[in-house]
Amino acid sequence: MGLAWDGFMRRWVEVQPLTIKVARWISQLSWEPIVNITLEPFGGQATNFTLYALLEDGGRIRVGDLGDGAKNLLTLMLLYELSKPEILLIDDLESHMNPRALDVMLDWLSGEVDKGLRLVASTHSLDVAKRFLSRLEGSKAVLVGLKAGKLSYRSFTLKELEELESSGLDIEWQSHISYEYRYVLATGEDRGSSR
C-alpha cells in the first residue's frame, strides 16, 4: 500500500474528487459515518502527510489505523477510480477481509461490472467463490489445479459449487495435502471449456 499511498499524495489534485464516493463505500465498515477521505499533516512536521477518514461529526481516523481489509478496499477503490481500467485483476480476493468488508467489496465490484468492467479474481475459498457467483450476474468459476506438473481446470456454476459444498468436498483443505487448487472467478463472455 505504501507505493499506492505515495502516489495518491503526489496526485492528490486528481484523487481528491474521488474520495467522497469511496468514503460512502468504506463508511459501511465503520460504526460512525465516514463522509470523506482527506490528506492532512501528520506527526507535527509540515512535510509529513497521511490519509484520514473524515467522520460525519468532524472527527478523524487515520486511515492507517483502520483494519487491513478497510485499508485494502479503500486503496483498491481509489486506484480503480483513478485509472478506470477495462479489466481488473485481483489475487486472493478475500485477503485481509472480514465477511462484511468482502460483501461491501463484492457489491461495489458488481456495480462496476454492470457498467462494463471485466473482472478476474482468484481465491482458495469455496465460500468466496459462491459469494462471487451469487452477487456478480453472469460470472463463472473455474477451479484450476496443478498436480505433478500437470495443469487441469473445470468450470463450475453456483449450483455445482453448492453441491460440492454439500457433499463435504473442501478444496481449500485438500490443497494443503498434496497439490495446489485455486478458483479463478471471472465476469464477461465464456471463451473456454472445461477439462
Side-chain angles (χ1 to χ4, degrees), residues 54-68:
L54 178 63
L55 304 176
E56 192 173 57
D57 67 4
R60 288 165 167 68
I61 301 171
R62 234 174 23 113
V63 170
D65 292 335
L66 296 175
D68 287 342

Side-chain angles (χ1 to χ4, degrees), residues 86-123:
E86 293 178 25
I87 300 173
L88 182 61
L89 308 171
I90 305 174
D91 186 31
D92 288 327
L93 188 64
E94 74 281 10
S95 184
H96 302 291
M97 296 282 174
N98 65 38
R100 180 68 190 131
L102 182 60
D103 287 343
V104 169
M105 180 172 59
L106 290 174
D107 289 344
W108 169 70
L109 288 170
S110 178
E112 296 306 317
V113 166
D114 288 347
K115 296 175 197 170
L117 172 68
R118 300 263 332 240
L119 174 63
V120 178
S122 72
T123 182

